[in-house]
Amino acid sequence: MSKRGGTEQALALAKGKKIRSAEDVLKKVKSLAAELTASTEVDKTLAQLNLPYNCREVVDKDTDEVLAEIESAIYGVAASIMDGEGFSFDIPSRAKGNQMYVPELDRIVLRDTVSKRPFASTATCRKAAVTSRILSLVHELVGKRIHVTKRDLFYTDVKLFEDQGQSDAVLDDLACMLGCTRSSLHVVASEKGVVVGRLTFREDGDFIDCQRMGVGGKAIPPNVDKVSDISSDAAFILLVEKDAAFMRLAEDRFYNTFPCIILTAKGQPDVATRLFLKRLKTTLKIPVLALVDSDPYGLKILSVYMKGSMNMSYDSSNLTTPDIKWLGVRPSDLDRFSIPEQCRLPMSEEDIKTGRRLLEEDFIRANPEWVKELELMLASKVKAEIQALSSFGFQYLTQVYLPLKLQEGDWI
Amino acid sequence: MSKRGGTEQALALAKGKKIRSAEDVLKKVKSLAAELTASTEVDKTLAQLNLPYNCREVVDKDTDEVLAEIESAIYGVAASIMDGEGFSFDIPSRAKGNQMYVPELDRIVLRDTVSKRPFASTATCRKAAVTSRILSLVHELVGKRIHVTKRDLFYTDVKLFEDQGQSDAVLDDLACMLGCTRSSLHVVASEKGVVVGRLTFREDGDFIDCQRMGVGGKAIPPNVDKVSDISSDAAFILLVEKDAAFMRLAEDRFYNTFPCIILTAKGQPDVATRLFLKRLKTTLKIPVLALVDSDPYGLKILSVYMKGSMNMSYDSSNLTTPDIKWLGVRPSDLDRFSIPEQCRLPMSEEDIKTGRRLLEEDFIRANPEWVKELELMLASKVKAEIQALSSFGFQYLTQVYLPLKLQEGDWI
């Protein structure tokens, strides 16, 4: 069939470069991994930085710690009553004015402004009642060791909470107040992501081998705290934007030739996938390489993985994976890999606007090579999907494009 | 904590009914399963019906059969050329006028109208070219035993196909022409569903045990033809609309107490989940019980599982699972289980319109009990989510509601 010829042609197009043995191909990514392991910067915490001002970040806490935090918060309230100051909570402010970008950490954290939430004030009486109710519900959840969604939490007392926005906001307040992540409170996000490859772990006691998950993969668990004993011989983590590319990689068992862990959130990353990625990165200390569409939306997705979103900034250390390498599809790839004109799509007005906004963002400006790529995209006004690589044959992605990229260490 | 009292109260509210042992609870669903096994109606095919008119349905075919079909189609074209009639394909019509509801099958199939697609006509020349190109691509896919998405297929020849709508339409034409399902052509849907519970199978050779999948579950594979050796000791399949309820059931390991398979497509069902459900039902011959929101959208979701969608009607036998029982949450449950007023939501104008349209549909009218429930919903103008059950405690769903429903055989 004609496609075989197409792949050979594509190989020739890739500047006559030959793909060497798998071992050779992996050399550069392995030295990147070695750098990471050697680096002590990877897991800086606020405490280690010794900043001249106070900041607040939440950490994962185990069941007993969370129960102790809740009980100590309630003792604090009781003490306030005994001191004649009445029933009141001390709630850290999550307002924009209290958020701050810490360059040493390369993420946004909260300053230490705290506001009182007294019961004996018409302004905060209802909110104080909601706070105690949610504190009690979370105490129950953690005590019983079960997990629920924010929606479930809302439905336990619709009369009091009135709408889900209110119970969600107080839940985030509580996470800040108790100094622990929302998943430590056993309130979890719904899952969307899948994973395959050289990875084994235990989930709620079950042994999971992601190399034996067929082509469908393993659904990423909504509660990352039930994941333990993470183990892997992978050289890198391949973060994929779309499930079509994920499927191609899984079906071709790409991870058998090039030991890696393949992960996708199928579009916009959800909290569960971000937590899971961060957990893998921290535990395994291997590079994360990203394969996204060559358009501003692909970069937006990278930014969510790397920087998180503003309204979860108190939890940024658990949700963000700062040092993700942009492997492809990059604007400069379109010419280098001779992607046919028909597979290049014109950018819409909206795309161009989003692209221009991205150029202003810290996480792009921090990396001059990213700026160059984005400028190239905006100048050419052309975007392309990962699937554009299919124009050279269905398996071009796994047999040519990715091996070449890895071999040349072509990430930025 | 107050919640424990809440659950006891809820138990009392359930008309003082006691939940008996798991074995007792399962008696009714097991006798439903026995009926199903005894019934010979389950897998009627068009051929068995011996209808007085010709209809067309596609079936799953294996690799060699599909290759043979493609080659015989090409021999047909060659013969047509030799006969002096030129290069031309015979394409079954998928137009609405050629669709027909067959009551004996309880699904929509295609009549036998076929149209010529000659290359030597300005009207069909382009389409004939697209048809031969896709035929050749599918031959390659099937020969190599790899799977791609419709998007991948489009990108292999953007110049010819121009937009994805064209390659998609011709692909459906080809499935009809070759008499096989789209997944037999190795063009698959992206996956969205997850499964846990008493189920083991092989996926692309890997042994998958869905009882050892933690709380996240196993992602349902995009290509159901790679699934084999399905085995289960489950008494029923629990089809769940939302992932929050799925998570609750998975975390509480509901399937350990009440042997079942738990499945969700997380909202609107995708093709992969529908194929997988159908496959489980056909292989295991156990009842499918559905747990959806008590609103018109929940019923719409049931209708997609049961009747499929119009534009895939040629493939209805593989995609639809006709005899799904509506377990809950049903409009009559709201009063029977004393769901608090605050958890009942008013129906919007749009909800009411959708509900009225559903009342006209065959699959609702076929079941007088469904009509009664829907009429009750429309009369009360009230809807409720599965999560409304959380108002009695987070585990009310798994510890009280579902066991009671099963024990009483309360499905329609």
Side-chain angles (χ1 to χ4, degrees):
Chain A
M1 305 245 59
S2 70
K3 213 64 322 222
R4 218 160 301 146
T7 306
E8 275 155 29
Q9 184 195 1
L11 262 166
L13 281 171
K15 297 193 199 147
K17 282 165 190 159
K18 260 201 180 164
I19 294 165
R20 297 191 295 268
S21 71
E23 204 181 320
D24 270 9
V25 164
L26 286 170
K27 268 186 187 156
K28 298 216 177 181
V29 76
K30 278 187 177 160
S31 70
L32 180 63
E35 280 169 39
L36 280 180
T37 319
S39 146
T40 50
E41 290 197 292
V42 176
D43 251 356
K44 260 188 209 157
T45 64
L46 265 178
Q48 288 163 348
L49 277 179
N50 238 326
L51 294 175
Y53 37 80
N54 284 325
C55 291
R56 185 181 290 271
E57 259 196 328
V58 300
V59 294
D60 268 322
K61 291 189 180 172
D62 70 25
T63 312
D64 291 334
E65 288 171 321
V66 175
L67 289 177
E69 288 287 355
I70 294 175
E71 284 151 19
S72 111
I74 293 298
Y75 291 143
V77 171
S80 158
I81 295 171
M82 312 260 258
D83 291 348
E85 310 208 347
F87 189 114
S88 177
F89 293 104
D90 291 328
I91 307 285
S93 158
R94 295 186 293 113
K96 199 142 189 176
N98 199 35
Q99 293 179 2
M100 187 183 50
Y101 175 74
V102 179
E104 293 90 338
L105 294 172
D106 191 24
R107 56 179 189 251
I108 296 158
V109 299
L110 286 183
R111 296 296 305 267
D112 59 351
T113 311
V114 165
S115 62
K116 291 261 169 211
R117 187 173 288 174
F119 187 71
S121 146
T122 46
T124 54
C125 154
R126 237 186 65 71
K127 226 168 182 182
V130 171
T131 308
S132 359
R133 182 78 174 109
I134 293 191
L135 213 46
S136 132
L137 288 169
V138 166
H139 192 271
E140 180 194 350
L141 287 177
V142 177
K144 284 187 174 169
R145 290 171 167 69
I146 60 172
H147 295 74
V148 299
T149 61
K150 294 201 277 186
R151 190 81 181 149
D152 287 316
L153 197 70
F154 162 67
Y155 264 110
T156 53
D157 204 337
V158 177
K159 199 169 184 172
L160 175 62
F161 302 146
E162 288 176 357
D163 67 79
Q164 201 188 324
Q166 296 191 23
S167 51
D168 286 0
V170 169
L171 185 68
D172 282 336
D173 288 344
L174 284 183
C176 286
M177 184 176 102
L178 303 173
C180 58
T181 59
R182 202 173 65 199
S183 48
S184 303
L185 301 183
H186 285 214
V187 181
V188 298
S190 66
E191 52 176 79
K192 206 172 55 134
V194 280
V195 59
V196 290
R198 308 279 266 244
L199 173 69
T200 60
F201 58 89
R202 280 196 180 274
E203 184 182 336
D204 198 18
D206 294 339
F207 179 77
I208 311 282
D209 182 352
C210 297
Q211 225 176 325
R212 307 251 174 284
M213 284 293 150
V215 287
K218 170 72 181 79
I220 290 175
N223 27 7
V224 79
D225 56 327
K226 290 217 172 173
V227 171
S228 59
D229 302 329
I230 292 174
S231 166
S232 171
D233 66 343
F236 60 99
I237 298 169
L238 189 59
L239 186 64
V240 179
E241 176 178 343
K242 288 179 167 177
D243 48 346
F246 177 88
M247 203 188 80
R248 175 82 278 115
L249 290 157
E251 189 173 60
D252 291 355
R253 307 242 174 188
F254 184 72
Y255 50 83
N256 281 349
T257 323
F258 305 107
C260 65
I261 300 167
I262 304 167
L263 202 75
T264 182
K266 303 179 183 172
Q268 191 64 25
D270 53 307
V271 170
T273 307
R274 287 157 63 196
L275 283 169
F276 191 73
L277 174 66
K278 170 72 176 192
R279 183 73 179 279
L280 289 185
K281 180 79 167 65
T282 316
T283 314
L284 303 173
K285 295 193 194 305
I286 51 177
V288 181
L289 308 178
L291 179 67
V292 296
D293 284 348
S294 174
D295 62 17
Y297 192 71
L299 277 173
K300 278 283 249 194
I301 284 178
L302 278 187
S303 93
V304 175
Y305 280 115
M306 292 172 70
K307 299 287 132 173
S309 57
M310 277 291 188
N311 67 337
M312 290 287 281
S313 52
Y314 69 88
D315 196 5
S316 60
S317 70
N318 297 287
L319 281 170
T320 58
T321 308
D323 44 355
I324 297 177
K325 303 289 180 199
W326 187 9
L327 187 71
V329 177
R330 300 204 307 269
S332 62
D333 286 348
L334 304 190
D335 283 342
R336 286 180 49 230
F337 288 85
S338 310
I339 302 291
E341 279 306 321
Q342 307 86 24
C343 300
R344 306 181 188 201
L345 309 167
M347 284 170 80
S348 69
E349 276 306 308
E350 194 50 45
D351 288 336
I352 293 171
K353 252 188 239 164
T354 311
R356 291 220 178 99
R357 263 198 305 271
L358 280 170
L359 262 187
E360 306 296 310
E361 283 198 25
D362 291 331
F363 91 100
I364 299 275
R365 291 162 69 103
N367 190 332
E369 292 182 277
W370 286 42
V371 173
K372 240 165 73 186
E373 290 283 359
L374 185 52
E375 280 172 351
L376 176 62
M377 187 198 298
L378 289 168
S380 66
K381 294 196 167 111
V382 156
K383 59 181 182 178
E385 297 182 31
I386 303 172
Q387 279 97 334
L389 299 167
S390 302
S391 54
F392 299 121
F394 296 117
Q395 292 173 304
Y396 183 77
L397 173 72
T398 53
Q399 292 178 351
V400 182
Y401 180 80
L402 288 176
L404 263 185
K405 282 267 177 183
L406 291 173
Q407 176 171 306
E408 296 178 6
D410 184 19
W411 50 74
I412 57 177
Chain B
M1 307 246 58
S2 70
K3 211 68 311 220
R4 220 160 299 145
T7 307
E8 273 154 30
Q9 185 196 0
L11 262 167
L13 282 170
K15 297 197 200 145
K17 282 164 190 161
K18 260 201 181 163
I19 294 163
R20 296 192 295 268
S21 70
E23 204 182 319
D24 269 10
V25 165
L26 287 171
K27 268 185 185 155
K28 299 215 174 181
V29 76
K30 278 187 176 159
S31 69
L32 181 63
E35 281 169 39
L36 279 180
T37 320
S39 146
T40 50
E41 290 196 293
V42 175
D43 251 356
K44 263 188 207 154
T45 64
L46 266 178
Q48 288 163 346
L49 277 180
N50 237 328
L51 294 175
Y53 37 79
N54 285 326
C55 291
R56 184 181 290 271
E57 259 195 328
V58 300
V59 294
D60 267 322
K61 291 189 180 172
D62 70 24
T63 311
D64 291 335
E65 287 170 323
V66 175
L67 290 177
E69 288 287 352
I70 294 175
E71 284 151 18
S72 111
I74 293 299
Y75 292 142
V77 171
S80 159
I81 294 171
M82 312 259 258
D83 291 348
E85 312 210 345
F87 188 114
S88 177
F89 293 104
D90 291 328
I91 307 284
S93 158
R94 294 185 295 112
K96 198 140 189 178
N98 198 36
Q99 293 178 3
M100 186 182 49
Y101 174 73
V102 179
E104 293 90 337
L105 294 172
D106 189 25
R107 57 178 188 250
I108 297 159
V109 298
L110 286 183
R111 296 295 305 265
D112 59 350
T113 311
V114 165
S115 63
K116 289 259 170 217
R117 187 173 287 175
F119 187 69
S121 145
T122 46
T124 54
C125 152
R126 237 186 65 71
K127 227 168 179 179
V130 171
T131 308
S132 4
R133 182 79 174 109
I134 293 192
L135 213 47
S136 131
L137 287 169
V138 166
H139 191 271
E140 180 195 353
L141 287 178
V142 177
K144 285 188 176 171
R145 289 170 169 70
I146 60 172
H147 295 75
V148 299
T149 61
K150 293 199 279 187
R151 190 81 183 149
D152 287 317
L153 197 70
F154 162 66
Y155 264 110
T156 51
D157 204 338
V158 177
K159 199 169 185 174
L160 174 63
F161 302 147
E162 286 177 359
D163 67 77
Q164 201 190 322
Q166 296 191 22
S167 51
D168 287 358
V170 168
L171 186 68
D172 281 336
D173 288 344
L174 284 184
C176 286
M177 184 176 104
L178 304 173
C180 58
T181 60
R182 201 173 67 199
S183 47
S184 304
L185 301 183
H186 285 214
V187 181
V188 298
S190 67
E191 50 176 79
K192 205 171 56 128
V194 280
V195 59
V196 289
R198 307 279 267 246
L199 173 68
T200 60
F201 58 90
R202 279 196 182 274
E203 183 182 338
D204 198 19
D206 294 338
F207 179 77
I208 311 281
D209 181 352
C210 296
Q211 225 177 325
R212 306 252 173 284
M213 283 294 150
V215 287
K218 171 73 180 81
I220 291 175
N223 25 9
V224 80
D225 56 328
K226 290 216 171 173
V227 170
S228 59
D229 303 329
I230 292 174
S231 165
S232 172
D233 66 344
F236 60 99
I237 298 169
L238 189 58
L239 186 64
V240 178
E241 175 178 345
K242 288 179 167 178
D243 49 348
F246 177 88
M247 203 189 79
R248 175 83 278 115
L249 291 158
E251 189 174 59
D252 291 355
R253 308 243 172 189
F254 184 73
Y255 50 82
N256 281 348
T257 323
F258 305 107
C260 65
I261 300 167
I262 305 166
L263 202 76
T264 183
K266 302 181 183 173
Q268 192 64 27
D270 54 306
V271 170
T273 307
R274 288 156 64 196
L275 283 170
F276 191 72
L277 174 67
K278 171 73 175 189
R279 183 74 179 278
L280 288 186
K281 180 80 168 68
T282 317
T283 314
L284 302 173
K285 295 193 196 305
I286 52 177
V288 181
L289 308 178
L291 178 66
V292 296
D293 285 347
S294 174
D295 62 18
Y297 192 71
L299 277 172
K300 278 283 245 198
I301 284 178
L302 278 187
S303 92
V304 175
Y305 281 115
M306 292 172 70
K307 300 287 131 172
S309 57
M310 277 291 190
N311 68 339
M312 290 285 281
S313 52
Y314 69 86
D315 195 5
S316 62
S317 69
N318 297 287
L319 281 171
T320 58
T321 308
D323 45 357
I324 296 177
K325 301 291 179 197
W326 187 9
L327 187 71
V329 177
R330 301 206 304 269
S332 61
D333 286 347
L334 305 189
D335 282 343
R336 286 180 49 229
F337 287 84
S338 309
I339 302 291
E341 278 306 322
Q342 306 88 24
C343 300
R344 307 182 186 199
L345 309 167
M347 286 171 78
S348 69
E349 275 306 307
E350 193 50 45
D351 287 336
I352 294 171
K353 251 188 240 162
T354 311
R356 292 220 177 98
R357 263 197 306 271
L358 280 171
L359 261 186
E360 307 296 310
E361 284 198 24
D362 292 332
F363 91 101
I364 298 275
R365 291 160 68 102
N367 190 331
E369 291 182 278
W370 286 42
V371 173
K372 240 166 71 186
E373 291 282 358
L374 185 51
E375 280 172 350
L376 176 62
M377 188 198 296
L378 289 167
S380 65
K381 294 196 167 107
V382 157
K383 60 181 182 178
E385 298 182 30
I386 302 173
Q387 278 97 334
L389 299 167
S390 302
S391 55
F392 299 121
F394 296 117
Q395 293 173 304
Y396 184 77
L397 173 72
T398 52
Q399 293 178 351
V400 181
Y401 180 81
L402 287 177
L404 264 185
K405 282 267 178 183
L406 291 173
Q407 177 170 306
E408 296 178 6
D410 184 17
W411 50 74
I412 57 177

